[in-house]
Amino acid sequence: MFAERIDFSHEANLTIDELVKRAEVLLPDTDMMILRKCYDFAEKMHAGVKRSSGEPYIIHPLNVAATLIKLKMDIDSIMAGLLHDTVEDCDVAPEDIAKMFGQSVAQIVVGCTKISKIKFKTKEESQAENFRKMVVAMAQDLRVIIVKLSDRMHNMRTLQYMTKEKQQSKAQETLDIYVPLASRLGINSVKADLEDLCLRYIHPDIYYRLAEKIAMKKRERETYIEETLNLVEEKMLEYSVTGEVTGRPKHFFSIYKKMQQRGVDFEQIQDLLAFRILVNNITECYKVLGIIHSAFTPVPGRFKDYIAIPKVNNYQSLHTTVIGPKAERIEIQIRTFEMHEVAERGVAAHWKYKERNKAEPGGKLKWVEELMEFNQSVTSSSEFMDVVKNDLDVGGVFIFTPTGDVKELRYGATPLDFAYAVHTEVGNKTVGAKVNGKMVPLKYRLKSGDTVEILTSKTQTPSKDWLKICKTSRAISKIRQYLMKIERDEHKELGEDILEKALKKFDTSIKSVEKKNEFKALLEKHHYKTLEELFVNIGSNHLPIKDVLVAIPSVNFTETDELDFKEDDKELESFYKKTQKTARKSTSNDNAVIVDGLDDIMVKMGRCCNPIPGDPITGLITRGRGITIHTINCERILEIEKSRHVYVEWNKHYTFSHPVNIKVTTHDKPGILSKISKSINNAGINIRSAIARSMPDQKGNFIFEIEVKDYSELLKTISSIEQMEEVISVSRA
Ligand code: MN
């Protein structure tokens, strides 16, 4: 008897009828109309498209679905297998798939699409490691990885139709990424098959030599296997143990690996055969081990007990190597049928287990919980969970650039962090960000798999508020650096200005004092190296101006001299009063958001965070007052229990305006306020109020409450204000 391995060969004549037949055996309680519906849809979408083999495209999704049935996956996965290329290749909207086939299927398809968009660089090994972590982090649903593995399996099976370069790069990618993933998830059947396929394309010379050698003594070997099988079965019967015994040549890749590890040639590899004994329970496993060790001579140091200590991917088995009847080494694996199921299908075996226990509702699978449950169902090893946790503690989130490059950022990172990760100049000029095509606030928390596009403006500069938004040390230090430089420049300018004005009162100037070399003593006294340093210290109030004047011999300074150089700010005040009178138009918020499942409920915008369309939002049920809307980052909502949260979304047809505060910092020049307000009004934006403050450092600080329709209108307004040369920074307050 030869081992039934799961056969993943390409099936050129596979039809939907045959697929449905197999699915019915696996899932007898499922109505297969839905599977036919998937097929009809995918077939229509891929109609007219051919694979490199010349076959109609639909044969690919059919084979992928068949693989998922072989792995005993659930109906959602099999459906996703049929549909997995429709989003990427046929521009089908995920929403449409969700409508037709359910949210869960759509999510798996979207997950697969995202993973295939990743650009992978083979050269760097660490990149491969990152990729693996990323796939794990991105696939909140483990089924995404299993569908992806099935997809890759079929592509590898039909790789002969590709160009040589494509074959090489696909095989390398498979070996770097998909094989370790399959291994990590314990899906050994897929892992072993992929490995052999990779070997065939990466080292064809070795592969075909192995194939030839193994084929050479085929007849002889088969007889040998059969004799050994009979012998083992006889011995087992003697001790009245029943089970299934199989024997086969080992996978090429495992022979190849052994050759490499031991640095030997094929001729020196002796144990080419592997026998497997499946029994009913663990007691029988050890009993059979005893039988084998008494019938054949065990090779010392080759016994491994993965039943007592399972591998991290849950693999359990007894391994031993013995000297066979013809003095050849043979490797024997002994395990229970249940352990075998886990060894072949790994995590995938779990979905079969799940079918048996239909208690769980459908919907999103938290894969950690799933794994934990799976783990408990087969073993008590806590080691497994530790490793899974480590997998999840991947440095942070993985973010795509619009061109498909990947950046790893720490958890909680924002688009601004991402911008600084791309380039300091990009960070410094950031005005807005789009995540997955939608405008988001700069403080938005990025999730693995997000595609981020940064919008920049030539006139943008970092502000202090950005330090609160950023979570990565790179961004924070770059912003600090910038702010320190700016501050120094400002202090220098201000100090020079103050000094020039002061000297003017004594009918002299910086230039003429310098000519007389009268700064020298002052610089030496304070250990300043340059005049610039003197200006900075005056501007930053570290050195009182009178101390400077006293130290200059040609200036006849007395304590009674008037030293108030501050400009008056009457203009600011008048503007302030004017804007206060601006009509406080009240906008109706009734239709701004749609509350899940509820019509006619009172909705108010949170005053703490003032959400505007485009912000990610959530609703809070308030006692007796309906629902208030907050941005998902609002600190207020963190304090409130989850049960009071309600799902809300922006009403796309809503065109009323929302109040939002913006903070503008300017150089304090005459007329700046009316200039800004004119610019806002010209853009068709209403100003509800404005608060103006003149700062001691000759900066103007204004808070405008304006009304905008949505986030992009806000951004437009902000960027039009910062076009003005007097403006230092503009931000949402
Ligand atoms: Mn595909």
Side-chain angles (χ1 to χ4, degrees), residues 267-461:
E267 315 297 337
Q268 289 163 276
I269 298 283
Q270 289 184 314
D271 38 349
L272 295 175
L273 298 179
F275 287 82
R276 184 173 293 147
I277 302 169
L278 304 182
V279 291
N280 292 306
N281 55 52
I282 292 178
T283 320
E284 283 180 356
C285 290
Y286 289 103
K287 203 166 173 186
V288 169
L289 180 74
I291 296 168
I292 296 293
H293 279 179
S294 62
F296 307 103
T297 312
V299 177
R302 296 297 303 276
F303 170 63
K304 288 192 184 95
D305 186 350
Y306 293 120
I307 290 181
I309 305 163
K311 286 192 184 179
V312 286
N313 60 18
N314 260 355
Y315 176 84
Q316 285 189 297
S317 194
L318 299 176
H319 287 191
T320 187
T321 303
V322 298
I323 310 293
K326 283 187 182 162
E328 242 186 275
R329 282 175 173 218
I330 52 177
E331 197 179 286
I332 297 176
Q333 301 175 348
I334 304 161
R335 53 191 183 233
T336 67
F337 288 102
E338 202 185 336
M339 290 171 188
H340 182 62
E341 183 73 11
V342 173
E344 286 292 283
R345 294 183 173 82
V347 166
H350 166 61
W351 272 273
K352 195 186 149 209
Y353 164 80
K354 198 180 149 206
E355 272 307 303
R356 271 188 264 136
N357 303 280
K358 281 208 163 143
E360 292 164 79
K364 240 208 302 198
L365 287 162
K366 277 264 201 282
W367 82 273
V368 186
E369 285 166 21
E370 293 285 332
L371 268 179
M372 208 173 327
E373 194 187 312
F374 166 61
N375 189 44
Q376 281 160 359
S377 73
V378 288
T379 170
S380 58
S381 163
S382 63
E383 195 188 355
F384 180 60
M385 257 331 283
D386 287 342
V387 175
V388 171
K389 275 200 210 115
N390 280 340
D391 273 4
L392 280 182
D393 271 336
V394 288
V397 291
F398 294 89
I399 307 301
F400 293 99
T401 68
T403 54
D405 284 334
V406 178
K407 299 263 177 240
E408 183 182 353
L409 299 170
R410 54 167 287 182
Y411 283 116
T414 62
L416 204 49
D417 288 301
F418 175 80
Y420 277 99
V422 172
H423 197 279
T424 306
E425 269 310 290
V426 175
N428 284 343
K429 302 283 176 224
T430 299
V431 284
K434 279 185 180 175
V435 170
N436 305 324
K438 284 192 191 120
M439 293 299 309
V440 297
L442 286 179
K443 61 184 179 186
Y444 172 86
R445 272 176 76 112
L446 295 171
K447 293 189 301 293
S448 271
D450 280 347
T451 301
V452 182
E453 189 185 335
I454 297 295
L455 310 177
T456 57
S457 157
K458 267 187 284 179
T459 53
Q460 177 68 307
T461 54

